[in-house]
Amino acid sequence: MTHFAFSVLVLCRETLLREAITDALSAAAGATVAGSMYLSANLPDELNINPDIVVYVDTSGDQRNLERDVANAHLLKSARWIVLSDQSSGALVARLRELRAGISFAPLSVTRQALAHLVALTACGHDVRLDDFREAAPSQERLQIMSAGLTPSQWRLLHHLALGLSNKEIARKETATVNAIKVRVRTLLARLNVANRTQAAVMVAKAGLFEQEHPRRTNVVELRRPAAEPRIAVSL
């Protein structure tokens, strides 16, 4: 079975908030997490990791540090960025778009669980937008999936099933044997408490977790906020 691991750099001015986010993400399977107040020119050389994902928390109006982050964004342009902000624009976002970096968005009020899922999906190569719409009654399917505690590789496998890919097609994408994929699919189905892959695909469709309009031509995943949970900022 292919081992899947990824590294995350959390950029956040506020120490307590940064530590809360790094602690939450460190608990995620396969994640190695580091944190910093800002993106300095020598930060990439100081890190013990080459981050696959940068979580940027936009909580400060410090123009000087913002300008420094913008100026040095190119140093991590190969990483996929998750911007936690109450707006999906600004100097940093504009710079990242110039660099053609992968960018995902979520509001500052994102929950720990939702952020962990967002990071896992981003690690699988998706650009993710966690919207701010509130549902009076989230679907049972969505709650079931979001509470299943899926690993990053299981999220990726679930997306393959949602696209209707065969075990042979999945094996090619995952660089694994067909038998290994069969085992992984059985484990995933057991985790979701469904009998077969068709039921898993139906569950995903009802949950509305993956954008299905052009499933084979987009890697954008739409997530809506799940039921109310303790927020990162509130739980400090």
Side-chain angles (χ1 to χ4, degrees):
M1 183 180 299
T2 302
H3 178 68
F4 183 72
F6 58 93
S7 56
V8 183
L9 171 63
V10 179
L11 293 175
C12 178
R13 313 270 191 259
E14 300 179 18
T15 301
L16 291 178
L17 180 56
R18 183 175 66 253
E19 291 178 352
I21 294 174
T22 55
D23 287 347
L25 297 182
S26 294
T32 301
V33 188
S36 178
M37 291 183 63
Y38 50 79
L39 179 52
S40 63
N42 59 344
L43 180 60
D45 294 329
E46 295 175 350
L47 291 173
N48 293 323
I49 62 172
N50 181 24
D52 301 301
I53 299 170
V54 177
V55 176
Y56 187 90
V57 187
D58 182 16
T59 59
S60 173
D62 188 331
Q63 188 63 29
R64 181 178 179 182
N65 280 326
L66 175 60
E67 291 175 355
R68 177 175 5 198
D69 292 339
V70 172
N72 294 315
H74 67 282
L75 299 174
L76 297 175
K77 66 179 181 180
S78 61
R80 305 188 75 88
W81 288 64
I82 298 175
V83 178
L84 303 186
S85 176
D86 289 332
Q87 58 181 4
S88 58
S89 60
L92 178 67
V93 172
R95 178 56 176 155
L96 291 175
R97 284 176 172 154
E98 287 178 1
L99 295 170
R100 299 181 181 275
I103 314 174
S104 298
F105 297 98
L108 287 170
S109 57
V110 64
T111 67
R112 290 173 183 262
Q113 184 185 40
L115 179 59
H117 287 314
L118 191 157
V119 169
L121 285 168
T122 303
C124 295
H126 301 296
D127 293 334
V128 184
R129 294 188 297 271
L130 182 61
D131 67 36
D132 199 27
F133 300 131
R134 295 180 182 274
E135 294 180 307
S139 70
Q140 182 60 40
E141 290 80 9
R142 175 173 297 179
L143 292 175
Q144 187 172 344
I145 293 174
M146 298 299 281
S147 64
L150 302 184
T151 66
S153 61
Q154 286 175 327
W155 273 107
R156 190 169 65 250
L157 181 59
L158 182 60
H159 192 212
H160 292 328
L161 296 183
L163 294 178
L165 300 184
S166 67
N167 287 340
K168 187 175 181 179
E169 291 173 315
I170 296 173
R172 283 199 298 267
K173 288 180 174 292
E174 295 290 302
T175 317
T177 66
V178 173
N179 286 336
I181 296 301
K182 289 180 180 179
V183 172
R184 289 172 57 183
V185 169
R186 285 198 298 269
T187 301
L188 175 61
L189 297 181
R191 182 70 66 89
L192 295 174
N193 195 27
V194 294
N196 53 56
R197 60 201 300 141
T198 300
Q199 288 184 7
V202 171
M203 178 184 291
V204 168
K206 290 183 176 180
L209 290 180
F210 296 110
E211 174 60 54
Q212 293 294 320
E213 184 178 358
H214 302 294
R216 294 183 182 273
R217 292 186 291 169
T218 179
N219 67 341
V220 175
V221 178
E222 297 280 3
L223 290 182
R224 292 188 178 183
R225 181 177 297 162
E229 306 168 27
R231 307 286 175 186
I232 288 176
V234 174
S235 60
L236 298 178

